[in-house]
Amino acid sequence: LAEGEALAMLQRIAAATGAQRIAIDAALCGDGRCAVVGPDRRALYMDGNHLSMAGARLLSDRALRPLVRAGD
């Protein structure tokens, strides 16, 4: 699947099941560009598709932690 098709499919599944889709692109990308290096100058990806530990931490801080706080 192309990226747009996959995202549309995930959105349909979320709508049909009541699940919340977490848009990680908003956490890692902005201004039409996606960062490859974090604020601490560490690589965010270990290859073309997989986050490094630094990337996973950044994603957790920006996208997942606010969801956990909202559930409190």
Side-chain angles (χ1 to χ4, degrees):
L1 288 177
E3 182 180 358
E5 293 173 9
L7 292 174
M9 182 175 66
L10 289 172
Q11 192 61 41
R12 286 193 304 273
I13 292 168
T17 63
Q20 181 177 2
R21 186 178 80 80
I22 301 169
I24 64 170
D25 53 332
L28 299 175
C29 305
D31 298 329
R33 297 178 59 154
C34 295
V36 295
V37 177
D40 61 359
R41 297 183 179 243
R42 292 182 184 208
L44 299 179
Y45 295 89
M46 45 191 277
D47 61 26
N49 293 309
H50 299 92
L51 291 172
S52 66
M53 289 300 292
R57 265 189 228 99
L58 184 65
L59 176 62
S60 173
D61 289 345
R62 291 185 179 175
L64 302 179
R65 192 161 289 151
L67 293 174
V68 172
R69 282 190 206 123
D72 288 344

